[in-house]
Amino acid sequence: MQFNRRQILRAGAASVLLPAAAYAAPQWPERAIRIVVGFAPGGQTDIFARTYGEFIGKQTGASVVVENKTGALGALAATEVKRSAADGYTLLFNTSGAMTVNRVLIKDLAYDTDRDFELVAAMPTGGLPMFASSKLGVKTLGEFVQYAKSAPRVSLGTFGVGSPGHLTIIELNKQYDLKIEPVHYRGEAPMFTDIVGQVIDGGIGSYIGAQSVLQSGAGVAIAVPRKRLTVLPEVKTFKEQGATAPLFDLTTYQCCAVPKGTPQEVIERLSQILVQGGKSEKALEMFKMFGIDEGAMDLAATRALYARESPVWIDLASKIS
């Protein structure tokens, strides 16, 4: 058999390419994926992680293991993931606060979001409504402000220093010259229990957490941030009721992040999977439970959101006295 020069060159090129293909980087994922969650089992961050994690497993065929590493407002989980290999097999699910305001709330924070992480997807949480105890007899923000001006003492619950609820109280006090006292809890459940028991005058927390308050008639939602919620269509936003602080235009979200240096193709694929996961039947059921109207944002939208709003969150948190 005779070969011409072109055939010989083709054969030679193929013989060079074959070994390179044999040593190509493996396809992701080839083993189990670990999700580290910054907050306790049963909370919103945990439920987001497990719902989206299950979808990741179905789409990739990999087993997905969820681990809760709680403490320091999500900082312990972030620190652990920061120290993990940047290979796409360790994911962080945490709050927007853990990735932004922690840098001013926690001294000697062991991680820097910009330096140590790549955000993969932001998952809006629908905002945190403000609830007032029924004993106040108010149904709007304006009525609450009038009550707070005349009452000798007014207290609102939050789930932590520097949380959106805490910042909301600071901004309301500033704009309306009030002296609302923030009462910080370790979680939403005890806060809403105290609203039902009329220990505090109200609180700022999630729609799902407030079910005991709403269903018992112990309290009402009087304002929501950013935009109205499908589950509370008649409740106006803070802005609609005259609150002017930039805080009330900001987006609260859960997020998925990976260590800096994770291959871009892995980040992009994971982002696409999370966006698809936000449209799945199970995710939509979860959103309904939490009163959420939006799924995971894609990579470009997530990065734009972080770049646009993080400086505002950080500035607000830095003013906490």
Side-chain angles (χ1 to χ4, degrees):
M1 183 180 294
Q2 295 183 346
F3 296 90
N4 61 33
R5 184 172 180 275
R6 183 174 297 173
Q7 290 172 319
I8 292 171
L9 289 173
R10 280 203 201 113
S15 67
V16 171
L17 290 174
L18 282 173
Y23 292 103
Q27 292 296 308
W28 176 91
E30 287 195 327
R31 52 187 170 85
I33 297 171
R34 182 172 71 123
I35 296 178
V36 181
V37 182
F39 292 84
Q44 190 183 73
T45 311
D46 177 71
I47 294 173
F48 265 63
R50 293 178 189 277
T51 301
Y52 278 100
E54 181 179 317
F55 190 82
I56 292 171
K58 288 180 178 178
Q59 293 297 302
T60 63
S63 60
V64 177
V65 179
V66 177
E67 298 179 8
N68 299 85
K69 192 171 184 64
T70 63
L73 303 174
L76 296 185
T79 301
E80 177 166 328
V81 174
K82 166 201 166 181
R83 294 169 178 165
S84 301
D87 54 12
Y89 290 98
T90 303
L91 316 180
L92 172 68
F93 267 67
N94 225 334
T95 63
S96 51
M99 309 309 283
T100 56
V101 300
N102 272 8
R103 70 186 68 185
V104 295
L105 296 180
I106 299 177
K107 185 179 180 181
D108 299 324
L109 191 64
Y111 64 91
D112 179 286
T113 299
D114 300 331
R115 182 189 65 224
D116 298 323
F117 293 102
E118 292 281 1
L119 294 186
V120 178
M123 296 155 275
T125 57
L128 300 173
M130 177 174 167
F131 301 92
S133 170
S134 57
K135 70 177 181 180
L136 275 59
V138 305
K139 294 184 178 180
T140 67
L141 178 63
E143 291 175 355
F144 175 83
V145 169
Q146 290 305 310
Y147 175 87
K149 284 181 178 293
S150 60
R153 177 180 178 274
V154 178
S155 59
L156 289 178
T158 85
F159 53 82
V161 175
S163 67
H166 186 196
L167 296 176
T168 295
I169 294 170
I170 290 172
E171 294 302 324
L172 292 177
N173 282 342
K174 185 188 304 181
Q175 178 173 344
Y176 296 107
D177 192 26
L178 303 176
K179 295 182 180 179
I180 302 168
E181 177 186 344
V183 181
H184 303 301
Y185 291 81
R186 294 196 173 205
E188 287 190 317
M191 177 183 76
F192 285 116
T193 296
D194 277 358
I195 294 176
V196 172
Q198 299 189 353
V199 176
I200 54 177
D201 297 308
I204 297 144
S206 70
Y207 168 75
I208 187 174
Q211 290 309 294
S212 61
V213 170
L214 297 175
Q215 293 175 7
S216 67
V220 295
I222 62 173
V224 295
R226 197 163 68 92
K227 67 178 187 177
R228 295 199 193 191
L229 303 179
T230 300
V231 291
L232 296 169
E234 302 303 319
V235 181
K236 294 181 179 180
T237 67
F238 283 96
K239 285 281 190 179
E240 287 178 309
Q241 299 184 72
T244 59
L247 170 71
F248 301 119
D249 283 326
L250 298 180
T251 306
T252 56
Y253 55 89
Q254 304 290 348
C255 65
C256 174
V258 293
K260 185 77 77 173
T262 299
Q264 186 63 26
E265 58 269 24
V266 172
I267 293 173
E268 291 175 358
R269 187 179 177 201
L270 184 56
S271 175
Q272 292 168 359
I273 291 172
L274 291 172
V275 170
Q276 293 170 1
K279 300 173 184 177
S280 67
E281 183 177 349
K282 187 163 185 178
L284 294 176
E285 291 175 358
M286 176 186 69
F287 296 160
K288 185 177 180 180
M289 177 177 68
F290 281 110
I292 294 171
D293 299 326
E294 304 166 88
M297 301 168 69
D298 65 26
L299 193 57
T302 295
R303 289 174 173 174
L305 173 68
Y306 178 80
R308 181 176 66 250
E309 295 194 359
S310 291
V312 185
W313 282 115
I314 294 166
D315 180 63
L316 290 170
S318 68
K319 296 174 181 176
I320 295 175
S321 57

